[in-house]
């Protein structure tokens, strides 16, 4: 009777951790980029169309940075919390001064 093949031990992270970080990168990262766009349309020293254009272009760099952070954070909870709080903190000034911004 042939011997059973040895089971390989699975290394790495659990599947739910990887899925949660992917979702954090997508959704919480998008929320952070959206908040950054709203903040930058308020803060940049250009005319209104220039602010909206520059903020929309810079939001891709913010989203990329947020996605990288989602995978570099010490824990999944920290990734979600930091990205959601950063997005809320960036979006809050746009809510306080709606006449000066163009909400994305």
């Amino acid at each position: 009777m042939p011997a059973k093949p040895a089971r390989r031990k699975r290394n790495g992270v659990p599947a739910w951790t990887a899925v949660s970080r992917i979702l954090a990168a997508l959704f919480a990262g998008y929320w952070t980029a959206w908040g950054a766009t709203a903040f930058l349309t308020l803060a940049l020293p250009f005319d209104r169309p220039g602010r909206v254009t520059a903020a929309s272009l810079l939001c891709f760099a913010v989203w990329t940075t947020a996605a990288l952070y989602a995978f570099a954070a010490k824990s999944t909870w920290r990734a979600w919390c930091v990205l959601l709080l950063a997005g809320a903190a960036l979006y809050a000034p746009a809510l306080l001064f709606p006449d000066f911004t163009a909400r994305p």
Side-chain angles (χ1 to χ4, degrees), residues 2 5 7 9 14-15 18-19 21 25 32 42 46 54 75 95 100:
R7 283 194 158 180
K9 187 175 179 181
V19 169
R21 287 183 186 256
T32 304
L42 176 68
F46 309 134
S75 70
L95 291 175
F100 298 107

Side-chain angles (χ1 to χ4, degrees), residues 34-43 87-104:
W34 192 55
T37 304
F39 175 75
L40 289 172
T41 58
L42 176 68
L90 288 167
Y91 190 58
L95 291 175
L96 294 174
F97 304 103
D99 295 337
F100 298 107
T101 63
R103 287 191 205 117

